[in-house]
Amino acid sequence: MSATPSRPWSLAVAVLASFVAGCLGEATLDMQGLPGPGNPNPQPPPVQQDGTLDCDLDRVPAGVTLASIASDFEREVHPALVRQVSGCISCHATTSGRLFKVGLNGVENFYAIRAAGYLTPASGSMLSRLVTTDESARMPRGEPAWNAREIAAVAALTCQLKAVETRQPSSRPDEEFPPALLEPYRGPAVATYDNPFLGFEQLKGKVKAVFNDDWVRGGQDRFAQNVGLLGGVDYKDHFVEARVATADFFLGLDDLSRDVCLTAATNKTGPFTGLDLTWPLTDIPAPTTKTYEMEAAARDGTTIPAGTQILASTGGKSGSTGWNLYTTGTLTTLQPYVFPASATYRFTVKAKGDLCGPDLPNMQLKVDGVLVKEWSVGNNTAYADFVHTQAVAAGDHILTVGFTNDYGETGVCDRNLHVDALVVYGPTEAATGTQRADAAKAKVDTLYRRMLYRASTPEERANGYALVTDLLGIEANATKAWSGLCEGLMRAPDFLFTLPPSYERFTGKERERLLLVKLAMDLLGRPPSAQDFTALEGGQKSWEAMVDGYLASADFRTNYFKRMRVRTESEGTPDTDEPARLWTFLVEQERPFEELLTGDYSVDSSFQQVTRPTQHGKTGVLTMKGFIKNKPGLPHYNYAARVMTDFMGTMYEVPAEVFDMRGAATASSTVDPSSICYSCHQTLTPLAHQRLRWDDEGNYRTQDEQGVALDDTDRNLAATYAFKGQGMEAFATQAVKKEAFVRRTLNAQFALLFGREMRHEQDERVIYKRLWDVSHEHDGNLKAVLKTLATSPEYLRQ
């Protein structure tokens, strides 16, 4: 039998003449198989003027299988796809923004090209693009054409594939799990740090849980005021979430952490609940005595011997003992004395005076140049002890003994001050050992447990304690010092990532505890409660039970709805929230996710199912006013492109030459197989026509602006269009069967827990297959998909 009637080959011969002129000889193309090594110049394949290929399916041997075709494709065609000159990979590399991407694995490329509909005898196929004489549509664009043997191989495999699919009808290639992804991934290892940064809503949830603070000050929502800095969405000025942390985020975090930490520390709330922040930080050590012998002083301005401890501004030695300040002057410690703790110290100055005149010699004691005590020295024959007790802050301090009132009467008397020694003793309070430091470090550990949900390490406790004591040394305000530690913890990776990175060093219950933090942040948008931790760690609930409980909670619905508002790019209005409400309803009620596109109902603001006018049919979000609005239809194709991107995972790249020709393009010209627009618009243009009964505001109509009845069929504009039929219901009911739709929907759930889409073509093809199977086994129940993800080895880092 023949798939199509015989047609003249005149066009194909002309097309290929430039490829094989002078070298065709008597060779012919045997459609039973590939051109053999001895036949390098086969005749042109029978490609018709409209780009279709005549295949004699009866001549394809019965032994040809899908696997054998894939193998032949890898051997005969794949090398041409990936070569640098005249290949496809230069335009269609995996890093490009092209609609179709070429990888490095030949079998995977075959199945991908087949699923995309490019290995068919229809117009618009890979073969028709290889042989066309229209340079704007020919592939490879701007490169030398493929040779006759390579083109013949593509034609032979196209007909073989048609024969296999005709003899053994099954689901369409684009509706089955990609066979290539059943093979183990053999590409390079993916070595990225796979841990999502905290999102805006998760940050709000964490601050509320840790501090019991919604950051409203004076009636002003400070989160709302900083939504741009913190990468959030407010549906007024900010509509797209930040995907990664930015410098602006840390500016916002500075403001947030400073405010909520100081408020909590001042009010003894949140992580500071029950903590006495006024308790001294520094312990009282056992007392020590330090004696400065003044006869060992050195005179300022002279050579200072090594080891000198006292510098004298005036005077000289007083015999063998002490120093004689015979003019006004000072005796000062050359190096600061280190006071080991903030405590009380006793200072003893051994001194005597030479009396003269009406006043006694005046002696002062200063700490860091500040007068703390002065005496009138009346003893003039023997040294006496002058004692003063003074509270001194821990740290380095300069001590000074001074003489201030020199006086003399010529030939009668001279007033001087003789200082024998300065003795520092203390602390005078009872020693406390390490109890104050231990208590402070215990508070540091408490903050770690309450803010980061784990115990601190000895090093972290020591560093936290040092930070608080240092801050207290800068400003004598214990509340601010402890608030400073809190601010530091809010900048810690364990606070800022959904999964605390320190989980890597833990095992057992400790590791499970930190994974529970991630689970709650992902599903609920907030950390676990104390009861959650107790239930898991005490064995009252298994991990699976925790997942079930979270998925059944009101917090999950609230968080999921917020995530879907972002996913559907809501503008925060009831209309634009409608798609997110439907998505949330499907998950909560465990309805098939196909109803996202085929539901014949809507969901109101109380998340109850409500009926829709009959003109909507089975179109789900596709005809919701809030989804259509701001997505114009013809002639710009915004709506069609967004549908294909949002629900089919198709990304579009608009090259410069398309911009150059858009002004003169018409809907029909975009689906001309010879047009540069064709690869994209064989989908976009038919879909745009199917939407015609809905205007750009989302209102239903049966006539256009001129009163002409609307034809909302695909109009058979593209032979390869996979969603043929009338209206959006025709598109929806066929789109939900496609592997691309299933994968895109599963990816929305995957992103909820992993913060990104699956690497389904790389190292995560196994989990993709697992999710595919679960979705089919549970009739599209997304809650079952989420549970599979949350209990998977990949999520649990096993």
Side-chain angles (χ1 to χ4, degrees):
M1 70 175 185
S2 296
T4 55
S6 299
R7 299 177 185 175
W9 288 15
S10 56
L11 173 65
V13 171
V15 168
L16 291 177
S18 61
F19 302 166
V20 296
C23 58
L24 284 176
E26 300 299 319
T28 59
L29 174 65
D30 184 355
M31 298 303 265
Q32 296 182 35
L34 299 172
N39 184 18
N41 299 311
Q43 289 186 3
V47 180
Q48 302 304 306
Q49 194 162 9
D50 60 358
T52 59
L53 171 67
D54 280 339
C55 291
D56 188 349
L57 304 186
D58 289 336
R59 298 186 64 190
V60 176
V64 173
T65 65
L66 195 61
S68 70
I69 299 173
S71 178
D72 287 341
F73 183 93
E74 181 177 39
R75 183 182 66 255
E76 299 292 339
V77 178
H78 177 69
L81 287 176
V82 297
R83 65 191 174 199
Q84 291 300 313
V85 178
S86 191
C88 302
I89 200 166
S90 59
C91 291
H92 294 271
T94 54
T95 55
S96 73
R98 295 294 178 130
L99 199 62
F100 182 79
K101 296 177 174 56
V102 174
L104 297 178
N105 184 293
V107 172
E108 291 181 12
N109 279 334
F110 164 74
Y111 284 115
I113 294 172
R114 173 185 177 238
Y118 296 138
L119 278 179
T120 70
S123 174
S125 68
M126 177 180 175
L127 179 65
S128 67
R129 297 293 293 273
L130 287 170
V131 303
T132 181
T133 56
D134 185 344
E135 286 301 311
S136 67
R138 184 182 67 81
M139 295 193 310
R141 186 172 299 152
E143 297 281 343
W146 286 18
N147 63 41
R149 175 182 168 77
E150 292 164 343
I151 293 174
V154 174
L157 292 174
T158 298
C159 288
Q160 287 183 14
L161 181 60
K162 179 65 176 179
V164 169
E165 291 178 344
T166 300
R167 293 166 186 171
Q168 299 176 334
S170 60
S171 60
R172 293 171 56 100
D174 58 353
E175 295 176 5
E176 62 184 20
F177 188 84
L181 300 187
L182 296 173
E183 297 294 320
Y185 174 64
R186 296 184 176 90
V190 180
T192 58
Y193 185 70
D194 201 7
N195 189 359
F197 202 79
L198 214 60
F200 177 71
E201 292 295 337
Q202 291 172 319
L203 178 62
K204 289 178 63 177
K206 199 163 199 175
V207 169
K208 180 66 175 177
V210 171
F211 295 93
N212 193 26
D213 191 341
D214 54 11
W215 204 24
V216 173
R217 303 289 186 264
Q220 298 295 314
D221 186 337
R222 301 283 287 125
F223 271 116
Q225 291 176 339
N226 287 276
V227 63
L229 292 179
L230 297 173
V233 170
D234 62 3
Y235 307 106
K236 296 177 183 177
D237 302 308
H238 304 277
F239 297 91
V240 181
E241 272 191 327
R243 297 179 181 271
V244 295
T246 63
D248 285 347
F249 175 89
F250 289 100
L251 288 175
L253 186 64
D254 286 344
D255 197 7
L256 168 66
S257 61
R258 187 182 306 113
D259 196 342
V260 298
C261 283
L262 186 57
T263 299
T266 301
N267 299 328
K268 307 297 186 295
T269 56
F272 296 101
T273 301
L275 300 183
D276 183 356
L277 305 184
T278 64
W279 190 257
L281 298 178
T282 308
D283 280 295
I284 305 298
T288 59
T289 300
K290 172 65 176 178
T291 301
Y292 292 96
E293 297 289 353
M294 297 307 176
E295 62 271 16
R299 179 73 176 268
D300 192 12
T302 64
T303 301
I304 309 299
T308 299
Q309 296 183 334
I310 295 294
L311 185 66
S313 64
T314 60
K317 286 185 180 181
S318 178
S320 62
T321 303
W323 189 272
N324 180 12
L325 292 171
Y326 47 71
T327 61
T328 299
T330 58
L331 293 161
T332 303
T333 54
L334 193 59
Q335 300 296 329
Y337 177 68
V338 181
F339 288 78
S342 297
T344 303
Y345 294 84
R346 186 169 66 242
F347 299 88
T348 301
V349 183
K350 294 180 180 296
K352 65 180 180 178
D354 294 332
L355 306 183
C356 184
D359 298 322
L360 297 175
N362 183 259
M363 181 173 66
Q364 292 184 337
L365 174 65
K366 294 181 178 180
V367 177
D368 294 329
V370 178
L371 178 65
V372 297
K373 182 64 177 178
E374 59 183 342
W375 297 270
S376 295
V377 180
N379 54 304
N380 62 352
T381 57
Y383 286 108
D385 290 343
F386 294 83
V387 180
H388 174 66
T389 301
Q390 175 75 34
V392 182
D396 296 350
H397 298 283
I398 297 293
L399 306 178
T400 301
V401 177
F403 173 45
T404 67
N405 60 342
D406 184 35
Y407 178 80
E409 297 178 8
T410 304
V412 178
C413 62
D414 185 17
R415 184 188 300 160
N416 300 314
L417 179 67
H418 300 263
V419 182
D420 179 30
L422 169 64
V423 181
V424 182
Y425 172 84
T428 61
E429 296 92 343
T432 61
T434 62
Q435 65 184 28
R436 291 182 179 179
D438 291 342
K441 291 177 181 178
K443 292 185 179 72
V444 172
D445 186 62
T446 297
L447 291 180
Y448 267 82
R449 291 176 186 272
R450 292 176 176 177
M451 296 181 65
L452 307 185
Y453 302 101
R454 64 169 177 84
S456 58
T457 65
E459 182 181 10
E460 288 169 336
R461 287 193 294 276
N463 290 340
Y465 171 70
L467 175 62
V468 176
T469 53
D470 288 347
L471 292 174
L472 194 58
I474 295 171
E475 181 179 357
N477 186 318
T479 299
K480 288 185 177 180
W482 282 102
S483 176
L485 174 61
C486 170
E487 291 182 48
L489 293 182
M490 286 188 70
R491 292 169 175 78
D494 277 1
F495 191 91
L496 294 176
F497 287 87
T498 54
L499 174 62
S502 60
Y503 88 95
E504 295 176 358
R505 70 170 183 259
F506 290 109
T507 57
K509 291 292 184 182
E510 292 85 355
R511 182 183 177 92
E512 198 172 52
R513 178 184 180 88
L514 296 181
L515 286 168
L516 185 64
V517 173
K518 174 172 174 56
L519 180 70
M521 295 298 292
D522 290 338
L523 294 183
L524 310 181
R526 61 162 175 81
S529 66
Q531 293 78 10
D532 293 339
F533 285 123
T534 299
L536 182 65
E537 294 171 354
Q540 290 93 343
K541 286 187 178 180
S542 64
W543 181 266
E544 185 173 336
M546 295 299 301
V547 173
D548 288 337
Y550 282 172
L551 290 174
S553 68
D555 282 352
F556 168 72
R557 184 179 78 176
T558 300
N559 183 58
Y560 193 89
F561 175 59
K562 289 177 180 178
R563 303 308 305 147
M564 291 306 107
R565 290 178 90 193
V566 175
R567 171 69 173 74
T568 57
E569 296 190 2
S570 170
E571 296 178 0
T573 65
D575 278 349
T576 57
D577 278 349
E578 189 179 8
R581 291 198 302 269
L582 174 59
W583 208 322
T584 305
F585 177 82
L586 295 179
V587 174
E588 187 178 33
Q589 299 299 320
E590 303 184 29
R591 300 280 286 268
F593 66 71
E594 289 85 352
E595 293 180 11
L596 190 62
L597 301 189
T598 62
D600 59 358
Y601 58 89
S602 184
V603 177
D604 63 19
S605 58
S606 62
F607 291 91
Q608 299 299 310
Q609 180 176 332
V610 293
T611 58
R612 301 174 82 187
T614 57
Q615 62 261 27
H616 287 274
K618 295 181 178 181
T619 58
V621 304
L622 298 176
T623 59
M624 288 180 176
K625 184 182 290 286
F627 181 76
I628 294 178
K629 198 170 183 179
N630 298 326
K631 299 181 182 71
L634 290 168
H636 299 296
Y637 307 97
N638 298 54
Y639 173 87
R642 286 298 304 276
V643 168
M644 294 304 296
T645 296
D646 289 355
F647 300 108
M648 309 303 286
T650 302
M651 302 300 293
Y652 296 93
E653 179 181 3
V654 184
E657 53 266 38
V658 170
F659 283 107
D660 294 340
M661 63 169 290
R662 277 186 85 171
T666 64
S668 58
S669 70
T670 61
V671 289
D672 182 340
S674 65
S675 167
I676 189 175
C677 305
Y678 184 73
S679 61
C680 294
H681 285 275
Q682 61 183 313
T683 297
L684 297 182
T685 306
L687 176 54
H689 279 93
Q690 286 174 306
R691 193 210 100 163
L692 281 176
R693 287 183 183 264
W694 302 90
D695 67 19
D696 289 347
E697 294 299 313
N699 300 307
Y700 182 73
R701 60 185 182 174
T702 58
Q703 298 177 331
D704 65 15
E705 291 80 0
Q706 288 73 42
V708 178
L710 291 168
D711 176 6
D712 62 342
T713 68
D714 67 291
R715 305 186 187 183
N716 202 29
L717 291 171
T720 58
Y721 186 57
F723 316 101
K724 294 179 181 295
Q726 181 172 356
M728 291 307 300
E729 183 171 317
F731 172 85
T733 53
Q734 295 174 89
V736 295
K737 301 175 184 178
K738 307 301 181 186
E739 179 268 340
F741 170 75
V742 175
R743 171 165 36 88
R744 185 68 171 159
T745 308
L746 294 177
N747 257 323
Q749 318 315 305
F750 188 93
L752 194 70
L753 275 75
F754 286 81
R756 59 170 176 79
E757 294 196 349
M758 281 184 291
R759 298 187 289 264
H760 70 282
E761 292 183 328
Q762 296 177 293
D763 57 327
E764 290 175 338
R765 53 184 66 185
V766 172
I767 192 172
Y768 177 32
K769 182 61 166 63
R770 192 183 312 137
L771 298 179
W772 173 280
D773 292 342
V774 166
S775 67
H776 283 75
E777 291 166 6
H778 292 81
D779 194 26
N781 179 353
L782 289 179
K783 193 171 283 189
V785 170
L786 286 168
K787 181 175 180 178
T788 299
L789 284 168
T791 57
S792 69
E794 293 83 358
Y795 188 79
L796 297 174
R797 268 67 173 179
Q798 294 174 347

